């Protein structure tokens, strides 16, 4: 895993890019975007920005696939274990 992945500080991303990444995460996770106190997707992205600020979420760029993903810490840890298993095979 070393060298393949780079954590991207969320504060370095342009607002539109960060919002797009967070919206993709919301959709992928199956969040109900029809209502968050009437804010829908904006409400979810605002909550996720707070989680990023608290270090509960990571933005990770994969240099091999040139893709960038938002992950929870649990997803990151699981992802790391899966990659380590693949490297052993």
């Amino acid at each position: 895993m070393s060298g393949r992945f780079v954590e991207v500080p969320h504060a370095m991303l342009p607002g539109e890019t960060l919002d797009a990444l967070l919206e993709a995460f919301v959709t992928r996770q199956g969040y109900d975007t029809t209502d968050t106190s009437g804010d829908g997707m904006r409400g979810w992205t605002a909550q996720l920005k707070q989680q990023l600020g608290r270090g509960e979420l990571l933005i990770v760029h994969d240099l091999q696939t040139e893709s960038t993903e938002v992950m929870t810490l649990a997803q990151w840890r699981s992802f790391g274990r899966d990659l380590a298993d693949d490297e052993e095979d």
Side-chain angles (χ1 to χ4, degrees):
M1 254 183 23
S2 63
R4 178 176 168 183
F5 298 95
V6 177
E7 183 177 348
V8 180
H10 69 279
M12 291 183 64
L13 295 173
E16 290 178 6
T17 302
L18 179 59
D19 287 344
L21 283 169
L22 294 175
E23 288 173 10
F25 178 79
V26 165
T27 302
R28 189 175 69 239
Q29 296 299 312
Y31 287 62
D32 179 6
T33 58
T34 58
D35 186 47
T36 300
S37 304
D39 291 331
M41 183 65 80
R42 280 182 305 187
W44 284 119
T45 56
Q47 287 183 28
L48 294 174
K49 286 177 184 177
Q50 291 174 353
Q51 291 178 358
L52 280 166
R54 292 190 301 262
E56 297 170 2
L57 295 176
L58 299 170
I59 298 175
V60 180
H61 182 73
D62 183 337
L63 297 171
Q64 184 175 337
T65 64
E66 297 184 1
S67 61
T68 304
E69 297 290 339
V70 177
M71 295 183 181
T72 65
L73 292 177
Q75 288 172 325
W76 174 246
R77 289 180 186 121
S78 175
F79 184 66
R81 282 192 299 271
D82 291 345
L83 282 177
D85 289 345
D86 287 348
E87 289 174 357
E88 289 175 6
D89 292 336

